[in-house]
Amino acid sequence: MEPKQDSLGEWRRTKYTAEVTPLLEGETITLFGWVAGIRRHGGIIFITVYDKEGSIQLTVKQDLAPQDLVNALDNVSDHSSIGIRGIVKKMDKAPNGVEIQPIEMKVLAIAKKSPPFQLQGTNIPRIDKLLDIRALALRRPEARAIIKVRRMTLIKVREFFQKRGYEEVTTPKIIATATEGGSALFPLLYYDKEAFLTQSPQLFKEQLVMSLEKVFEIANAYRAERSRTLHHLSEFLSLDVEEAFVDYRDIIRTLEDLMEEVSSYLHLSCGKELSFLGIKDKGPMPEIPELAYNKAIEIVQGHGSEIEWGDDFSSEALGILGKEFPSFYFITDWPATGKPFYIQSKGELSESFDLMSGPLEIASGGTRVSSKDELEKKLREKGLNPNSFEYHLKVFDYGMPPHAGFGLGVERLLMILANQSNVRAVSIFPRDQYRLTP
Ligand code: AMO
């Protein structure tokens, strides 16, 4: 027979484990969480309970504690979900200088299986094993630290743009035409028409500057990436920014300010998590250096690489640049030929940039084409049919201002901020070519 499990009833949490300090001595509190381990020593039972914020020790003196509580503990396996009402006691020897003496316990869900990987402890199991039961793997301390870095990053990004007067927008994810090259699109049937999942809100954010002037969006984008790399997802969180009456130089400065503010906010708001993830506080972030594409090519060629002017940087070339620039840097003024149709050219170059960190591309952006004739010409040059973009081109007849912007891969940024080498570790439920569940 299965041991009886309790219902939540009227119980509600009064403290997270991390909020319990010796200052609460003598208070009765209610905690919820999972059992990390039960040890019996003499007449005492030590139980470690963890929740999303941390863990705490419960101490049950067998002869003094309520007998039904002591008996119930016999059936509680590790990682079962419990509620505890207990009294806070200062205890120098306990992990946080404090412990709880339980007076009542609810066993809410008994864990029937042992996790297929360690939930505590520092050895990191294979990522695929963790991703197969992501809901459980997210209880691991480094996953919790990453999730907190993610939360604080998103809070700061939103605050940054809201304070500067940008409108937060959401744009359609089901779209009619590609913007970033057709091969990476996910097609779908939209009633009886062919449609696609969006690769980027590019055209929508550009249209919105005609009225809202400064916009940002944080939303998923989709790319049918065939290559299995450590930094490509099929569904990624994209931070998109677009602004009227500025050019790419202004946007570079905005992005630099954003990186600086996010970085210092993280050191303030999650210093403990950053140091757990192996990141040191090096003080204020230095200015982000800029490297013109022409110069970057020279550096790579100087290392004997076969690369020619106009080529995109291969992973080998990025490795060379990454050694010279191990932190953030911008590569600016790319050749016009390799850039999408909406990027403004200047001669054979373009008003464009990528934000890099070592070999990893974090963001890309530029000044946009704001003349309709020019945009039509560029569409044709790219082998695209302007008629398919009629819905977009027609708004340019109503005074499209000069504008510029960028798109940033949030998971790519989090790889850097949380010191992770695999993008899947910073995505909550990652999608790639081989993973469609959970
Ligand atoms: P781009 O195609 O360079 O530009 O994408 C912008 C940023 O999005 C991130 N990214 C990805 N992250 C994870 N997995 C992927 N498969 C993936 N693909 C892209 C990268 C990249 O730098 N419309 C333009 C942006 C603009 O000009 O505003 C665009 O989409 O970090």
Side-chain angles (χ1 to χ4, degrees):
M1 206 177 69
E2 284 208 354
K4 188 174 124 340
Q5 296 183 22
D6 300 310
S7 62
L8 182 63
E10 298 298 308
W11 280 37
R12 292 297 177 269
R13 165 184 276 137
T14 59
K15 291 277 180 271
Y16 283 100
T17 55
E19 293 170 329
V20 183
T21 66
L23 293 176
L24 299 178
E25 164 81 16
E27 265 189 44
T28 301
I29 59 165
T30 306
L31 297 171
F32 289 106
W34 296 271
V35 173
I38 301 183
R39 265 183 317 119
R40 290 163 202 271
H41 191 74
I44 304 182
I45 310 172
F46 297 100
I47 309 154
T48 307
V49 171
Y50 64 98
D51 59 18
K52 81 182 182 78
E53 303 289 329
S55 62
I56 198 157
Q57 179 174 287
L58 316 179
T59 307
V60 178
K61 296 203 174 93
Q62 273 177 301
D63 48 352
L64 297 179
Q67 204 49 48
D68 57 341
L69 191 154
V70 174
N71 293 344
L73 279 172
D74 286 342
N75 295 317
V76 176
S77 49
D78 285 359
H79 308 296
S80 294
S81 158
I82 64 169
I84 287 289
R85 254 188 201 146
I87 301 166
V88 179
K89 293 276 172 204
K90 263 199 241 171
M91 172 57 69
D92 292 340
K93 278 191 254 154
N96 311 334
V98 73
E99 63 176 23
I100 308 291
Q101 286 186 357
I103 43 183
E104 257 182 288
M105 176 173 73
K106 283 191 184 238
V107 180
L108 299 168
I110 296 218
K112 299 198 178 80
K113 289 186 178 170
S114 312
F117 40 76
Q118 266 195 341
L119 287 185
Q120 261 74 36
T122 45
N123 73 322
I124 301 182
R126 263 194 326 109
I127 185 122
D128 276 318
K129 232 173 158 186
L130 294 174
L131 295 179
D132 284 344
I133 313 190
R134 190 61 167 151
L136 185 62
L138 290 173
R139 286 193 203 158
R140 290 174 48 81
E142 79 267 13
R144 288 206 315 254
I146 293 169
I147 295 289
K148 177 139 179 217
V149 171
R150 180 183 190 276
R151 165 156 54 104
M152 293 306 173
T153 301
L154 290 175
I155 286 175
K156 190 65 202 180
V157 167
R158 284 212 160 81
E159 188 206 88
F160 178 93
F161 286 109
Q162 280 160 359
K163 266 198 183 152
R164 291 177 176 222
Y166 291 73
E167 204 69 55
E168 179 162 5
V169 297
T170 42
T171 62
K173 301 302 149 210
I174 303 176
I175 53 149
T177 48
T179 54
E180 314 299 325
S183 62
L185 279 172
F186 284 112
L188 58 94
L189 195 60
Y190 189 66
Y191 305 100
D192 52 356
K193 283 202 193 72
E194 183 179 52
F196 307 96
L197 289 178
T198 184
Q199 301 165 298
S200 155
Q202 185 62 38
L203 304 186
F204 296 106
K205 63 178 179 172
E206 286 194 55
Q207 293 200 14
L208 287 173
V209 302
M210 291 195 48
S211 51
L212 308 180
E213 297 194 27
K214 298 163 82 166
V215 296
F216 77 100
E217 176 169 19
I218 302 174
N220 279 345
Y222 301 86
R223 304 226 178 151
E225 304 282 3
R226 290 277 171 199
S227 50
R228 186 177 163 93
T229 74
L230 293 176
H231 51 274
H232 283 92
L233 293 167
S234 310
E235 180 177 53
F236 69 96
L237 193 60
S238 182
L239 162 65
D240 276 274
V241 173
E242 202 67 27
E243 183 169 349
F245 309 112
V246 296
D247 72 8
Y248 77 127
R249 308 275 353 145
D250 303 282
I251 295 292
I252 286 177
R253 278 192 290 276
T254 302
L255 185 49
E256 178 169 29
D257 289 352
L258 175 69
M259 290 303 107
E260 205 272 308
E261 286 201 20
V262 166
S263 157
S264 54
Y265 183 65
L266 288 184
H267 284 290
L268 276 180
S269 62
C270 34
K272 203 175 75 192
E273 287 76 11
L274 291 187
S275 89
F276 183 76
L277 295 167
I279 295 176
K280 292 198 188 82
D281 186 355
K282 297 193 199 117
M285 203 176 83
E287 219 172 86
I288 301 183
E290 283 184 29
L291 178 65
Y293 172 89
N294 285 349
K295 179 80 187 135
I297 281 285
E298 276 175 28
I299 294 177
V300 175
Q301 285 171 338
H303 282 75
S305 172
E306 294 286 284
I307 196 163
E308 283 182 23
W309 192 92
D311 290 349
D312 200 355
F313 295 107
S314 62
S315 43
E316 181 213 347
L318 290 173
I320 294 168
L321 292 175
K323 283 219 175 75
E324 301 248 337
F325 297 90
S327 309
F328 288 128
Y329 62 105
F330 290 102
I331 304 180
T332 65
D333 305 272
W334 290 73
T337 43
K339 281 287 158 189
F341 61 85
Y342 50 78
I343 291 281
Q344 181 68 54
S345 302
K346 49 172 181 181
E348 55 183 11
L349 297 177
S350 65
E351 298 199 6
S352 61
F353 64 88
D354 280 2
L355 172 66
M356 309 289 299
S357 175
L360 187 67
E361 180 194 318
I362 309 286
S364 78
T367 309
R368 319 305 189 182
V369 175
S370 52
S371 135
K372 183 178 178 181
D373 291 346
E374 176 73 14
L375 197 56
E376 274 176 343
K377 187 168 135 255
K378 288 210 161 225
L379 280 165
R380 274 192 216 96
E381 279 169 12
K382 295 277 171 197
L384 295 163
N385 181 356
N387 292 338
S388 315
F389 290 84
E390 210 273 321
Y391 71 94
H392 181 60
L393 289 164
K394 73 179 180 199
V395 301
F396 283 61
D397 288 333
Y398 300 94
M400 174 60 93
H403 59 288
F406 71 83
L408 175 148
V410 173
E411 288 91 354
R412 296 257 183 108
L413 177 62
L414 289 174
M415 285 172 73
I416 303 304
L417 299 177
N419 197 21
Q420 298 299 305
S421 56
N422 192 329
V423 70
R424 292 160 187 80
V426 300
S427 166
I428 297 182
F429 285 109
R431 288 280 172 271
D432 62 32
Q433 195 186 343
Y434 304 100
R435 182 171 290 282
L436 194 51
T437 60

